[in-house]
Amino acid sequence: MKATSTWILGILISLSSSLHAQTAESPATDYAPALRSGGLIVRLPSQRNKIEAMRAFRDTAQLNELSKQRLTTNISKLEQETRESNLSLMRAFRQYYELTPVQFLYDTAVSHLLAGRLSGHFIDDSLRAIQDKSVPQDGFLSLRIGYTDPGDYSGAEAMILGDARWQDVQPPFPTAIAFNNASFFVGQWLNPSTASHRRYQKAIERLSKKLYAAMYRWR
């Protein structure tokens, strides 16, 4: 009986040591200090690839004048919808996210940042570039709008957290905050003028709660 108890105790100690080592090596121990140090950088979707593809098709395909006009109208509509959506997202962050500083740039800036061009990419609340501002040098977390399973878009649309290398963060740190699209679709029908803002508000409030808990779990 004594030998069995000693054996069980040894297993428990071994498991405890293993779990402690995993926690100590967890990327979460890096994410939380980076968030506290440099805050959050939100990557706004630009739709640049889609817009450029539509323009190229309009300018090179054998289309009649009416089809070209319709395509031009659709391009302008997409540009306007993208701008309005980004402004709505920025306003929601300004209003509901208070945990850390938050800054914004377009998703097209990431390739420039990875190439070492670190300034001139942030944008103000009117979507104009801020030329004299650079990314934090002591780390930060990033956030993008995407799908939790981007391969076939079968996953949920969400706010997805990334690190300072623009790579998605890993569990156990919070990785994504899914949008409640069912509520959004109902809101579009009942009150379309505020549906988008409310959708962002709910997601940002859940994001803030999860990040707050994570920041104080991994000091």
Side-chain angles (χ1 to χ4, degrees):
M1 183 71 178
K2 183 176 181 180
T4 301
S5 300
T6 302
W7 177 73
I8 293 174
L9 180 61
I11 290 177
L12 291 175
I13 292 173
S14 177
L15 286 173
S16 176
S17 299
S18 175
L19 289 173
H20 177 75
Q22 290 177 13
T23 301
E25 296 172 359
S26 168
T29 59
D30 296 325
Y31 299 146
L35 180 61
R36 283 193 292 269
S37 176
L40 189 66
I41 296 179
V42 179
R43 297 160 56 180
L44 301 177
S46 64
Q47 302 286 4
R48 186 184 70 175
N49 290 341
K50 185 175 183 179
I51 291 170
E52 288 183 350
M54 292 171 70
R55 284 175 176 160
F57 180 73
R58 178 196 61 190
D59 297 339
T60 59
Q62 297 294 325
L63 301 176
N64 59 40
E65 196 58 35
L66 181 58
S67 296
K68 287 185 177 182
Q69 290 176 0
R70 287 175 177 169
L71 193 50
T72 298
T73 299
N74 288 337
I75 292 170
S76 298
K77 182 179 179 181
L78 177 58
E79 289 175 329
Q80 182 63 26
E81 288 175 348
T82 301
R83 176 180 175 82
E84 291 175 356
S85 177
N86 285 335
L87 287 172
S88 179
L89 179 60
M90 292 177 75
R91 284 194 295 267
F93 263 101
R94 296 297 189 206
Q95 188 169 355
Y96 302 111
Y97 183 82
E98 299 178 345
L99 187 61
T100 67
V102 59
Q103 301 179 83
F104 303 88
L105 47 71
Y106 282 116
D107 53 11
T108 51
V110 173
S111 60
H112 298 286
L113 292 168
L114 290 174
R117 297 185 288 274
L118 303 181
S119 62
H121 304 294
F122 286 117
I123 53 179
D124 63 20
D125 291 351
S126 298
L127 303 180
R128 292 189 297 262
I130 305 173
Q131 297 297 334
D132 58 349
K133 200 168 193 178
S134 299
V135 296
Q137 296 300 300
D138 295 327
F140 57 88
L141 288 191
S142 58
L143 181 146
R144 64 182 176 86
I145 307 297
Y147 289 86
T148 53
D149 185 3
D152 58 4
Y153 297 95
S154 62
E157 188 180 12
M159 292 181 174
I160 300 175
L161 287 161
D163 59 20
R165 298 178 297 278
W166 312 98
Q167 300 296 314
D168 294 350
V169 302
Q170 300 299 311
F173 199 84
T175 58
I177 305 297
F179 289 110
N180 186 344
N181 281 336
S183 176
F184 172 61
F185 292 142
V186 173
Q188 280 188 311
W189 181 64
L190 295 175
N191 196 345
S193 63
T194 62
S196 180
H197 186 80
R198 288 283 294 172
R199 176 179 183 241
Y200 290 142
Q201 174 190 350
K202 296 299 183 182
I204 291 168
E205 288 174 343
R206 295 199 306 276
L207 171 72
S208 297
K209 290 178 181 178
K210 287 197 172 188
L211 289 182
Y212 178 84
M215 286 174 67
Y216 288 92
R217 178 181 176 187
W218 292 286
R219 288 181 177 272

